[in-house]
């Protein structure tokens, strides 16, 4: 295969981005995951079917945990108070430790419950039904805060830290910075060596529970004479000299009970025994942790969306207008069906993804990214539908729907903004196919700077290379003649689902065709056309969700075979799945159509003129990023703080130094 960085005309910036991505992501897995196969026009049936099942013993243990958690959430948990007072009381944290929730994925030998990823997400879904803030706090602790210790810590580190993290300490993941959000490779926090110690300098932002935690996983770049080195993961405690938690939290639109700290490291001296894994592997560790965080974010979103669906549906049955319940109106029924369809599909995508993580599939990064994008986007739509059905009462605080609405919006931003994830799904999902296409192009087509004689000689030579021609002939038939590849077929489903399996096969075949056509049409320019990338990524997302939903429905039908259709919940879910297939097919066709019929050209001109006008607006009337690299830094409007609750930092760690950690 060729290297995308060798594309003729590639910009220096795009080449650098590709180099960084390859460094962050590491070597390509030897076995392609399900989504990468969709880009090739294949359905890896054995990875979708049968739908993953929990171990019976662990499922029973998780059911017992959920029963204890349900009792607490219904009778004790102060959801409205947490949102209104913008704080999760310490007694709530202690109760969740006591129930076992905050240590459920930590191994039993270290005091945890030792449960798998699917069980953990079932718990996060349940918490999300009641309190988005608490779901985020629990997720930040186990999915990313202490996950690097669990995955990459050595035996000594695990024995030292995990018992505290299972029973007492919260933990925080320190990756984001004032100038670093989705661009994790741009970390400015750095460390220098001093014998057996790392000396850390820098600032971290958005560290959830940072002001409450006993352990930080800090991503810092080595400072070398040659320039900035690679990023490593280092464990830091809040009581170490030089750690300054200078802002505990800021007031927010949603998930108001969570606290995101700002932390400065002023020459913090950390022994080398606090290094997690190998030096220079911090970004790979961060990406591994985010695979788990993207699932738990999805679980919390699913829980909130499911709660709103049920509340709005019950409201539609009991709220009368024009002498009839709202549920009689077709446009209200459209909202109800839409909520049910997306809810079922979100469930299918989430738990197929956690099943992949539990069984340790080789290649799951694109799948976890899609899980996050799909569940956050579809969950937001469900909550919006539910609020619309409930009307003005949905907007009232005491009905708790508006809180889910506010809590949900952040999910489209965190753990990788969805726009970034779309480009990632396109780029990493189609990378190997694109490299193969580039190799064929370089072997058989003329480069702009290639002589005629050199081109003819190259073509004659490569025309007798059977390996190249085996790839080139079917590719040429697709791109130049429009002849699609052979239809992929799913054989594992029941006869009742045969038509749905054949529909997805046709759409998967069209996905690989459209990817190849766009790659041929735009060549290197496609790297800059993010709107086109997003349309192809969206089509891949819908198709993956279709396969997950088909697998889950196939399992549900097998489990309910012979009950005569008496289970109304099953009947609802079955029809929700069939409705989702129709929704997904319309969305995929729209994505393909928009590759050819779109407003992109006027959009780009409109954006340019709007930006040009914005240059004339006085900066002192607008908020400017405090660390902006532009000349406008420091010249923006100071945000008004009166009436907003303040959470000042005081430099005093919220977690006192335990006696066993003295010295």
């Amino acid at each position: 295969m060729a290297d995308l960085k060798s594309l003729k005309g590639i910009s220096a910036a795009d080449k650098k981005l590709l180099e960084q991505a390859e460094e962050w992501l590491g070597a390509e897995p030897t076995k392609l995951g399900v989504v990468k196969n969709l880009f090739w026009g294949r359905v890896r049936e054995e990875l979708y079917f049968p739908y993953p099942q929990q171990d019976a013993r662990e499922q029973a243990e998780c059911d017992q945990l959920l029963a204890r958690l349900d009792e607490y959430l219904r009778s004790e948990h102060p959801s409205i108070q947490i949102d209104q007072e913008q704080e999760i009381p310490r007694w709530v944290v202690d109760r969740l430790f006591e129930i076992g929730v905050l240590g459920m994925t930590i191994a039993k030998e270290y005091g945890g419950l030792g449960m798998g990823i699917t069980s953990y997400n079932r718990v996060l879904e349940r918490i999300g039904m009641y309190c988005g803030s608490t779901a985020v706090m629990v997720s930040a602790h186990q999915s990313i805060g202490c996950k690097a210790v669990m995955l990459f810590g050595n035996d000594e580190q695990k024995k030292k830290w995990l018992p505290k993290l299972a029973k007492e300490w919260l933990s925080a993941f320190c990756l984001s910075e004032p100038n670093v959000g989705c661009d994790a490779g741009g970390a400015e926090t750095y460390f220098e060596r001093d014998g057996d110690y790392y000396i850390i300098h820098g600032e971290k932002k958005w560290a959830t529970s940072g002001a409450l935690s006993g352990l930080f996983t800090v991503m810092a770049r080595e400072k070398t004479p040659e320039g900035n080195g690679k990023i490593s993961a280092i464990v830091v405690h809040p009581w170490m000299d030089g750690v300054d938690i200078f802002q505990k939290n800021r007031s927010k639109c949603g998930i108001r009970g969570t606290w995101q700290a700002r932390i400065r490291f002023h020459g913090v001296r950390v022994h080398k025994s606090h290094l997690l894994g190998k030096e220079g592997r911090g970004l790979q560790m961060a990406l591994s942790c985010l695979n788990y965080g993207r699932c738990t974010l999805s679980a919390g979103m699913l829980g909130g969306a499911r709660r709103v669906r049920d509340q709005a549906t019950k409201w539609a049955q009991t709220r009368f207008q024009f002498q009839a319940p709202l549920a009689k109106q077709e446009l209200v029924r459209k909202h109800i069906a839409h909520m049910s369809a997306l809810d079922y599909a979100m469930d299918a995508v989430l738990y197929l993804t956690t099943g992949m993580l539990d069984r340790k599939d080789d290649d799951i990064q694109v799948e976890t990214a899609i899980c996050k994008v799909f569940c956050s986007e579809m969950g937001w739509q469900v909550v919006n539908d539910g609020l619309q059905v409930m009307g003005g009462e949905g907007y009232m605080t005491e009905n708790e729907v508006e809180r889910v609405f506010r809590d949900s919006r952040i999910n489209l931003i965190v753990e990788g903004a969805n726009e970034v994830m779309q480009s990632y799904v396109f780029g990493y999902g189609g990378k190997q196919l694109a490299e193969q296409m580039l190799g064929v192009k370089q072997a058989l087509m003329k480069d702009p700077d290639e002589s005629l004689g050199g081109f003819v000689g190259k073509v004659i030579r490569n025309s007798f290379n059977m390996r190249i021609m085996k790839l080139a002939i079917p590719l040429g038939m697709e791109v130049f003649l429009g002849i699609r590849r052979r239809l992929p077929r799913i054989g594992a489903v029941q006869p009742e689902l045969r038509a749905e399996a054949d529909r997805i096969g046709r759409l998967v075949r069209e996905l690989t065709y459209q990817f190849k056509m766009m790659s041929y049409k735009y060549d290197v320019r496609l790297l800059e056309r993010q709107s086109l990338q997003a349309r192809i990524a969206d089509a891949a997302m819908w198709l993956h969700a279709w396969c997950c939903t088909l697998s889950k429905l196939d399992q549900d039908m097998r489990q309910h075979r012979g009950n005569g259709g008496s289970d109304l919940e099953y009947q609802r879910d079955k029809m929700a799945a069939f409705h989702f297939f129709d929704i997904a097919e319309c969305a995929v066709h729209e994505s393909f159509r928009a590759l050819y019929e779109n407003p992109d050209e006027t959009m780009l001109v409109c954006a340019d003129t709007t930006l040009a006008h914005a240059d004339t607006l006085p900066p002192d009337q607008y908020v400017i990023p405090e660390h902006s690299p532009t000349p406008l830094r420091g010249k923006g409007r100071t945000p008004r703080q009166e009436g907003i609750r303040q959470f000042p930092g005081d430099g005093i760690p919220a977690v006192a130094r335990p006696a066993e950690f003295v010295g």
Side-chain angles (χ1 to χ4, degrees):
M1 291 192 295
D3 188 336
L4 287 179
K5 298 189 297 297
S6 66
L7 270 169
K8 296 292 183 180
I10 188 172
S11 69
D14 284 335
K15 186 174 182 179
K16 184 177 180 180
L17 281 174
L18 287 171
E19 290 171 348
Q20 289 178 334
E22 289 173 354
E23 177 188 343
W24 302 342
L25 296 169
E28 291 278 3
T30 55
K31 297 179 180 178
L32 299 185
V34 290
V35 175
K36 290 179 182 176
N37 272 279
L38 295 179
F39 277 90
W40 287 80
R42 303 186 294 243
V43 178
R44 284 289 300 277
E45 186 175 347
E46 72 280 8
L47 297 181
Y48 282 117
F49 297 88
Y51 196 77
Q53 292 287 291
Q54 280 190 281
D55 171 77
R57 181 174 179 177
E58 178 168 324
Q59 183 173 348
E61 291 177 354
C62 185
D63 288 343
Q64 293 173 3
L65 175 61
L66 286 169
R68 297 195 299 273
L69 179 63
D70 268 336
E71 176 61 28
Y72 161 74
L73 290 170
R74 284 195 302 265
S75 60
E76 297 180 54
H77 192 71
S79 302
I80 295 177
Q81 175 189 331
I82 286 171
D83 179 64
Q84 294 292 305
E85 298 184 5
Q86 303 183 56
E87 182 176 358
I88 299 174
R90 180 66 209 191
W91 72 262
V92 169
V93 178
D94 291 339
R95 283 288 283 127
L96 293 173
F97 271 121
E98 178 188 333
I99 294 169
V101 166
L102 284 166
M104 65 175 298
T105 62
I106 295 174
K108 292 181 179 179
E109 63 184 296
Y110 303 117
L113 300 183
M115 291 189 179
I117 306 305
T118 296
S119 294
Y120 179 40
N121 280 269
R122 290 180 64 199
V123 166
L124 261 296
E125 178 194 336
R126 193 63 54 88
I127 296 173
M129 288 183 175
Y130 292 86
C131 183
S133 291
T134 304
V136 170
M137 184 266 289
V138 173
S139 174
H141 170 58
Q142 284 186 95
S143 300
I144 53 177
C146 64
K147 196 67 179 182
V149 177
M150 296 167 61
L151 292 175
F152 304 105
N154 57 40
D155 289 342
E156 182 180 347
Q157 291 170 334
K158 291 178 180 179
K159 290 176 184 176
K160 184 177 182 180
W161 295 319
L162 289 182
K164 286 284 187 182
L165 295 166
K167 298 291 187 181
E168 181 181 345
W169 288 351
L170 290 176
S171 56
F173 190 60
C174 297
L175 175 63
S176 297
E177 301 180 5
N179 276 335
V180 176
C182 294
D183 180 15
E188 296 173 353
T189 297
Y190 68 91
F191 68 87
E192 298 175 291
R193 299 174 187 275
D194 182 12
D196 288 341
Y197 288 83
Y198 301 117
I199 312 300
I200 303 176
H201 299 265
E203 179 181 331
K204 294 294 182 179
K205 190 177 184 181
W206 309 128
T208 297
S209 302
L212 311 171
S213 296
L215 181 145
F216 306 148
T217 301
V218 179
M219 298 296 162
R221 185 186 300 278
E222 182 178 8
K223 186 176 183 179
T224 65
E226 298 78 21
N228 288 333
K230 294 183 177 181
I231 294 173
S232 297
I234 303 170
V235 166
V236 176
H237 297 299
W239 54 79
M240 289 179 167
D241 291 339
V243 175
D244 177 19
I245 302 172
F246 68 97
Q247 189 173 57
K248 294 179 179 178
N249 189 30
R250 289 166 66 189
S251 188
K252 301 178 291 295
C253 167
I255 57 167
R256 290 160 63 86
T258 63
W259 281 19
Q260 286 74 35
R262 296 186 68 175
I263 308 169
R264 290 194 183 109
F265 303 97
H266 302 284
V268 180
R269 190 176 178 85
V270 185
H271 193 266
K272 66 180 183 181
S273 62
H274 283 223
L275 174 73
L276 293 174
K278 296 180 180 179
E279 284 188 358
R281 299 292 294 173
L283 276 181
Q284 288 81 0
M285 294 182 197
L287 290 172
S288 295
C289 292
L290 288 173
N291 285 332
Y292 298 90
R294 286 168 181 158
C295 287
T296 50
L297 176 152
S298 301
M301 181 73 258
L302 173 61
R306 186 161 278 173
R307 179 77 177 268
V308 170
R309 176 204 62 185
D310 291 345
Q311 171 60 65
T313 302
K314 183 63 72 175
W315 186 270
Q317 291 176 309
T318 54
R319 168 65 168 160
F320 276 61
Q321 289 284 274
F322 307 108
Q323 295 80 51
L326 293 179
K328 287 288 187 181
Q329 307 302 321
E330 183 171 324
L331 290 180
V332 173
R333 295 166 70 87
K334 179 181 178 182
H335 286 304
I336 292 171
H338 194 236
M339 289 189 290
S340 288
L342 297 189
D343 173 85
Y344 188 86
M346 289 166 64
D347 187 292
V349 171
L350 171 61
Y351 290 111
L352 197 141
T353 308
T354 64
M356 292 176 175
L357 287 166
D358 275 332
R359 71 193 185 200
K360 296 178 171 55
D361 282 11
D362 294 323
D363 188 15
I364 43 78
Q365 288 187 339
V366 179
E367 288 72 21
T368 58
I370 284 183
C371 182
K372 185 268 174 179
V373 175
F374 184 80
C375 289
S376 63
E377 292 281 356
M378 301 305 122
W380 172 249
Q381 290 185 32
V382 169
V383 174
N384 196 48
D385 280 335
L387 188 64
Q388 188 69 18
V389 169
M390 290 191 66
E393 282 294 336
Y395 216 60
M396 298 299 106
T397 299
E398 65 266 25
N399 292 324
E400 302 189 61
V401 170
E402 64 84 28
R403 187 180 74 242
V404 183
F405 183 82
R406 288 185 287 106
D407 288 347
S408 299
R409 186 58 182 84
I410 191 65
N411 292 326
L412 283 71
I413 299 170
V414 295
E415 305 284 10
N418 285 3
E419 292 82 0
V420 175
M421 292 294 96
Q422 285 173 311
S423 290
Y424 172 74
V425 169
F426 170 84
Y428 196 46
K431 180 175 181 289
Q432 287 166 303
L433 175 56
E435 287 177 336
Q436 185 187 93
M437 293 172 62
L438 178 60
V440 172
K441 177 185 175 183
Q442 291 176 342
L444 297 173
M445 298 185 72
K446 188 178 184 300
D447 288 335
D449 56 356
E450 190 175 24
S451 69
L452 180 60
F455 165 62
V456 172
K458 177 182 72 175
V459 171
I460 293 173
R461 181 174 64 255
N462 289 328
S463 294
F464 290 96
N465 185 322
M466 290 299 102
R467 184 184 65 84
I468 292 176
M469 297 310 295
K470 186 177 180 181
L471 301 174
I473 291 172
L475 178 61
M477 291 175 67
E478 278 193 270
V479 172
F480 298 112
L481 300 178
I483 300 175
R484 275 61 163 177
R485 58 176 285 124
R486 187 173 65 179
L487 192 72
R489 180 175 172 81
I490 299 174
V493 298
Q494 300 179 82
E496 189 175 347
L497 296 177
R498 179 77 268 142
E500 314 310 319
D502 290 344
R503 287 167 73 189
I504 183 67
R506 289 190 291 270
L507 293 171
V508 169
R509 179 173 65 178
E510 192 65 17
L511 173 68
T512 192
Y513 173 75
Q514 295 297 344
F515 179 86
K516 292 165 185 171
M517 289 302 300
M518 292 300 106
S519 298
Y520 172 70
K521 179 179 179 180
Y522 289 94
D523 197 42
V524 70
R525 291 176 295 143
L526 189 55
L527 294 175
E528 299 177 353
R529 299 301 302 270
Q530 291 184 331
S531 294
L532 293 170
Q533 295 175 18
R535 291 170 188 131
I536 293 174
D538 286 347
M541 176 185 74
W542 285 105
L543 296 179
H544 174 62
W546 185 315
C547 290
C548 295
T549 303
L550 186 65
S551 178
K552 177 175 171 59
L553 179 59
D554 180 75
Q555 177 201 75
D556 286 351
M557 292 175 69
R558 294 177 192 276
Q559 291 177 345
H560 289 83
R561 182 182 294 152
N563 69 357
S566 58
D567 187 331
L568 290 177
E569 182 179 8
Y570 163 64
Q571 291 299 323
R572 177 201 65 186
D573 289 347
K574 177 181 175 181
M575 294 316 302
F578 278 108
H579 184 42
F580 174 75
F581 297 142
D582 285 346
I583 292 172
E585 184 166 28
C586 290
V588 172
H589 284 312
E590 173 58 25
S591 293
F592 291 155
R593 185 191 67 79
L595 293 172
Y596 301 92
E597 299 177 20
N598 57 66
D600 290 356
E601 298 309 316
T602 53
M603 175 272 290
L604 292 170
V605 175
C606 180
D608 287 341
T609 56
T610 303
L611 290 166
H613 175 261
D615 283 337
T616 69
L617 301 177
D620 61 355
Q621 295 183 19
Y622 302 93
V623 177
I624 305 294
E626 60 184 312
H627 287 266
S628 173
T630 71
L632 297 183
R633 177 174 176 172
K635 298 180 181 179
R637 174 177 69 84
T638 300
R640 297 176 60 180
Q641 300 291 336
E642 58 266 29
I644 298 176
R645 182 180 176 186
Q646 301 301 307
F647 302 82
D650 52 19
I652 301 173
V655 179
R657 182 199 302 259
E660 63 267 38
F661 288 87
V662 173

